Amino acid sequence: MGRTIAVCSGSGGVGRTTLSVALALGAARAGKRAILLDACGPSRACDLLLGLQNALALDLTDVALGEADMEHALLPAPQQKGLFLCCASLTERPRLREMTGAVLALRALCDALVIDLPAGEPALDAGLLGEGDARLVLARPDDASLRAAEQMLRQAQGERAECYAVLTRCSREQVKHGRQYAPETAEAALDAAALAVIPEDGAMAADVGKSKRRIWTPGGAASAAIEKLTRALLP
Ligand SMILES: Nc1ncnc2c1ncn2[C@@H]1O[C@H](COP(=O)(O)OP(=O)(O)O)[C@@H](O)[C@H]1O
Ligand SMILES: [Mg+2]
């Protein structure tokens, strides 16, 4: 049975999709069978990063309704052997509570199931996470993002899964200009140590739709921090 890692945040634009894709890719690179579940519905972007947008026809909702076989909702990623993409719903915000069985079936098929959840959606009552699973709550170190993350960390208290704060898009330059807090200050505000501090890194910004290169080139500071996080979560 695989480990599920739910990637969530209170606010948008914090790098959930980027981190979700990178975690799943890293797991597959390390020889694990990895499934990336995009649960963002019409605002999904994992397919764009992997260049699979034209290949998607069936989703996990079809599987949950008995209208498709699981194998038809799973697409192999062209970049990496062992990585598969599945979308919870192609047409609407997925009703995760109604597809718990299908998500657990996905988890049984892999070593690592990474779920990219929509902003503000912890899916706490969807039964997606259990003992041994992990929830990542992402926050950029600014007031709005930290406040939303603090709320989400509080809501997740008492859950059986491990729950970690992750600081993303951290920039010393922004701290200097008073637009972001230093990571230590953000950790104090969240009352939680961050499992990872991912720097703002131009090399990480994906080039979606404008050229053939859709995924960031590895080697930058952000991708190094994400690789370390991947090893910690999926040893
Ligand atoms: N560490 C980073 N450094 C710089 N840009 C980043 C980083 N992580 C994500 N981005 C960029 O920020 C934007 C939002 O990221 P995305 O992963 O789509 O966030 P979310 O899914 O939380 O909305 C994208 O343009 C992405 O390329
Ligand atoms: Mg996203």
Side-chain angles (χ1 to χ4, degrees):
M1 181 68 95
R3 179 175 215 207
T4 301
I5 297 173
V7 180
C8 59
S9 73
S11 55
V14 298
R16 279 184 326 275
T17 298
T18 304
L19 180 61
S20 301
V21 173
L23 282 172
L25 256 174
R29 269 193 204 121
K32 295 185 166 60
R33 192 177 152 91
I35 297 178
L36 175 61
L37 174 61
D38 191 324
C40 296
S43 60
R44 69 185 174 278
C46 291
D47 55 339
L48 294 171
L49 288 186
L50 296 172
L52 284 171
Q53 64 274 26
N54 297 324
L56 281 171
L58 295 163
D59 57 32
L60 199 63
T61 305
D62 297 318
V63 177
L65 294 172
E67 289 166 5
D69 291 333
M70 188 67 94
E71 62 192 281
H72 296 126
L74 277 173
L75 288 178
Q79 296 84 355
Q80 178 61 49
K81 189 169 166 275
L83 172 61
F84 296 81
L85 173 70
C86 181
C87 286
S89 171
L90 297 173
T91 52
E92 56 184 6
R93 189 159 166 140
R95 289 191 281 270
L96 291 165
R97 222 169 297 131
E98 293 164 25
M99 51 173 77
T100 311
V103 176
L104 293 180
L106 265 188
R107 190 170 70 160
L109 291 175
C110 63
D111 307 308
L113 173 64
V114 179
I115 310 180
D116 181 10
L117 287 162
E121 171 63 271
L124 280 169
D125 53 358
L128 306 182
L129 300 181
E131 195 93 44
D133 294 332
R135 174 185 300 283
L136 303 182
V137 178
L138 275 50
R140 222 177 9 213
D142 59 52
D143 282 314
S145 188
L146 287 171
R147 178 196 292 159
E150 199 188 341
Q151 158 89 352
M152 198 163 267
L153 287 165
R154 218 180 4 247
Q155 287 172 343
Q157 267 173 17
E159 200 179 26
R160 277 185 302 158
E162 297 161 16
C163 181
Y164 302 105
V166 171
L167 293 172
T168 59
R169 309 194 61 181
C170 300
S171 154
R172 282 206 201 107
E173 198 60 26
Q174 298 287 349
V175 175
K176 227 176 357 189
H177 289 99
R179 291 192 285 261
Q180 276 191 7
Y181 296 106
E184 312 77 62
T185 314
E187 287 179 309
L190 291 174
D191 196 18
L195 186 63
V197 175
I198 301 172
E200 176 79 11
D201 174 2
M204 200 69 203
D207 193 3
V208 178
K210 280 183 277 175
S211 78
K212 286 202 179 108
R213 188 182 71 78
R214 292 182 172 88
I215 289 200
W216 55 91
T217 18
S223 86
I226 295 175
E227 279 163 28
K228 196 169 152 211
L229 175 63
T230 309
R231 286 193 298 272
L233 287 168
L234 298 161

